[in-house]
Amino acid sequence: MYHPVVATPVWSPQRKLLGNLVPALGWLPLVAGGLIVISLTNDLLGLGLALVVAGNVVGWLLLNQFGLYQNAAMRRELERMLERRGESLAGKSYFVGFATPRYTGLVDAHEDVGFLVVQPEQLRFVSETRTVPILRLEVRRIRFRANVHSVLGLGRWICVEGVSGGNEFRLLVEPRQHRTMMANMMASRTMLRELQTWLETKPAAKTA
């Protein structure tokens, strides 16, 4: 189910861009300077190499710290928006980035941001633009999958796989519960275990 997009979306192009632009501003000058020094001196092991290495370290640190630009603000905005819409986040829910399997983002790995709501018989991803329900009986397994963040050691998808109406599906989410990307990657293992436990646990029978 899709919902109308407001004039200024929560997951705006500006927020997607700045999450990568801020780290790039620290990475690019050092790496570019290092490559220039190497080309001028023809020395692969001197100052030029040191600048390139320093640029990559600084870029990694900045990406970890600022890659989730205005993450907490987006979470608060979405909570208020969903409350006005009548969406309940009661019980267990996770603030996550989301993507469909066919999505290829040039600016950010996350196609959307929202909440993965865990209910006894289903999972529901709810955001500003969509609601995606997944019945527990349709889920076959939940596991990690690599994404672009995995290359840098700063993230990974939690992939919910199953079959619905005879068609295979995959729901890709990545936790955005914490401020830094590394903290979220570390939290993803706990989130995976909790979701796998949800999948394996038979709901209590209803009483009359």
Side-chain angles (χ1 to χ4, degrees):
M1 178 188 301
Y2 288 87
H3 305 285
V5 179
V6 298
T8 306
V10 171
W11 189 221
S12 64
Q14 179 185 20
R15 281 171 165 161
K16 293 180 183 180
L17 178 62
L18 288 175
N20 291 296
L21 181 59
V22 172
L25 291 176
W27 171 81
L28 184 59
L30 289 169
V31 172
L35 293 176
I36 291 172
V37 170
I38 290 173
S39 67
L40 292 176
T41 63
N42 201 29
D43 181 3
L44 297 177
L45 301 176
L47 175 61
L49 177 62
L51 288 171
V52 170
V53 172
N56 283 297
V57 171
V58 169
W60 187 93
L61 292 172
L62 289 174
L63 183 62
N64 176 55
Q65 192 68 29
F66 299 107
L68 303 179
Y69 180 74
Q70 292 191 349
N71 193 55
M74 285 192 291
R75 179 172 185 162
R76 291 191 297 269
E77 289 174 30
L78 275 172
E79 285 174 336
R80 291 193 294 267
M81 183 181 296
L82 296 175
E83 183 179 359
R84 290 193 299 269
R85 192 192 295 171
E87 293 276 7
S88 174
L89 299 179
K92 187 68 175 179
S93 64
Y94 307 91
F95 186 52
V96 298
F98 163 93
T100 52
R102 295 182 180 178
Y103 175 74
T104 302
L106 297 178
V107 179
D108 197 278
H110 297 163
E111 181 179 358
D112 199 357
V113 295
F115 291 90
L116 185 68
V117 182
V118 182
Q119 298 174 327
E121 294 293 350
Q122 68 172 353
L123 298 174
R124 292 172 62 246
F125 173 76
V126 292
S127 74
E128 178 180 16
T129 59
R130 74 192 81 203
T131 299
V132 182
I134 297 179
L135 297 178
R136 191 177 66 87
L137 294 176
E138 295 177 341
V139 178
R140 296 295 179 264
R141 64 177 174 176
I142 305 175
R143 60 171 174 157
F144 287 132
R145 276 185 175 269
N147 63 15
V148 66
H149 300 152
S150 305
V151 177
L152 299 173
L154 287 174
R156 52 195 168 187
W157 290 124
I158 292 177
C159 180
V160 182
E161 302 176 356
V163 178
S164 178
N167 298 313
E168 295 183 353
F169 67 82
R170 280 188 289 159
L171 175 75
L172 300 169
V173 295
E174 184 170 19
R176 298 181 66 116
Q177 299 276 92
H178 304 283
R179 180 177 178 180
T180 67
M181 296 181 69
M182 178 60 73
N184 282 297
M185 190 190 72
M186 294 175 66
S188 67
R189 183 163 297 280
T190 299
M191 181 177 169
L192 177 69
R193 285 199 302 265
E194 291 174 349
L195 290 175
Q196 289 175 334
T197 299
W198 165 83
L199 178 60
E200 297 164 1
T201 301
K202 184 177 180 180
K206 296 181 179 179
T207 57

